[in-house]
Amino acid sequence: MQVEKKRNVLQLSSLNHISLVCKSVDETNYFYINVLGFVPVKRPAALNFPGAWLVGHGIGIHLLQSEIPENLPKKTVINTKDSHISFQCENMGMVEKKLGEMGIDWVRQRVEEGGIYMDQLFFHDPDGFMIEICNCESIPIIPLDSKMHMICPHPPLKQIRVQPQQIRALVPRIGPKILSEGGEIIIPNN
């Protein structure tokens, strides 16, 4: 299959949801509501099989009851390189404390890039799907090409043009809002 070099060939607008196959929709539903703060929403009546829809943090999660729950793999070891979904948080210490209070096992990891640190906590949902909580926002997003990329359209953004050597001087002032070493930078309106 030939992949075009253009961006957004399919004209996608956003991530809508992820679907997770569950041993028990009820147990997984409880976890996503009470641990991660998702809100249950009505599923279309035409979906006449067991499941649940949840929304929160800008994404939907659709839970699907496994037809053969005993055949789902049992994951007990937390592998930080496993498939996962990641959520940004404000206070990693508070997250660690709350997970401990809930009896949820987790693994902490720290990543350093150019003197900037990002902390990550990894743990499993009831079906062994990996969840990451991080402060990934602290790491600048710098595309590998020199084109401008819009990561998130909200809040309204303004563009300014700077020279690549000016980027390093801006880091302490605007932090992770740098999106391109190629010259253009997006800074939120203040």
Side-chain angles (χ1 to χ4, degrees):
M1 179 172 102
Q2 176 97 12
V3 178
E4 292 187 41
K5 291 186 179 184
K6 290 193 262 179
R7 298 247 184 240
N8 204 5
V9 177
L10 299 179
Q11 299 182 3
L12 305 178
S13 60
S14 66
L15 178 63
N16 183 272
H17 71 273
I18 62 168
S19 291
L20 300 173
V21 177
C22 310
K23 294 176 197 137
S24 165
V25 166
D26 291 338
E27 185 179 348
T28 304
N29 196 37
Y30 180 89
F31 175 88
Y32 279 88
I33 292 168
N34 293 294
V35 175
L36 297 177
F38 279 79
V39 175
V41 295
K42 185 179 181 320
R43 291 173 72 216
L47 298 176
N48 58 359
F49 53 89
W53 283 14
L54 305 158
V55 296
H57 317 293
I59 188 173
I61 293 184
H62 295 181
L63 304 178
L64 308 168
Q65 178 63 51
S66 172
E67 293 179 3
I68 311 172
E70 58 275 5
N71 284 357
L72 290 178
K74 176 72 175 153
K75 292 186 181 178
T76 54
V77 175
I78 298 173
N79 177 358
T80 61
K81 296 177 187 167
D82 203 352
S83 298
H84 63 275
I85 185 170
S86 179
F87 298 96
Q88 180 73 26
C89 80
E90 299 285 325
N91 184 328
M92 293 296 287
M94 184 275 305
V95 172
E96 287 179 347
K97 181 178 182 237
K98 293 289 185 186
L99 290 175
E101 289 171 0
M102 291 185 269
I104 295 174
D105 292 330
W106 49 268
V107 170
R108 183 184 187 122
Q109 186 168 285
R110 179 168 256 204
V111 176
E112 184 268 335
E113 176 67 29
I116 298 172
Y117 294 91
M118 173 184 69
D119 294 304
Q120 303 165 292
L121 296 177
F122 293 90
F123 54 96
H124 288 137
D125 77 2
D127 302 294
F129 184 72
M130 184 73 68
I131 308 294
E132 174 191 1
I133 307 291
C134 70
N135 58 0
C136 300
E137 189 175 80
S138 61
I139 299 287
I141 299 171
I142 303 171
L144 297 177
D145 62 18
S146 62
K147 296 182 177 129
M148 174 58 87
H149 302 278
M150 174 129 352
I151 302 301
C152 178
H154 304 290
L157 302 171
K158 63 182 178 181
Q159 294 182 10
I160 63 170
R161 187 172 295 279
V162 297
Q163 298 300 315
Q165 63 269 21
Q166 292 174 293
I167 291 174
R168 283 192 172 72
L170 288 171
V171 170
R173 209 169 54 109
I174 63 173
K177 305 309 180 213
I178 296 174
L179 298 182
S180 173
E181 283 189 355
E184 288 186 297
I185 294 180
I186 293 179
I187 301 174
N189 290 333
N190 290 336

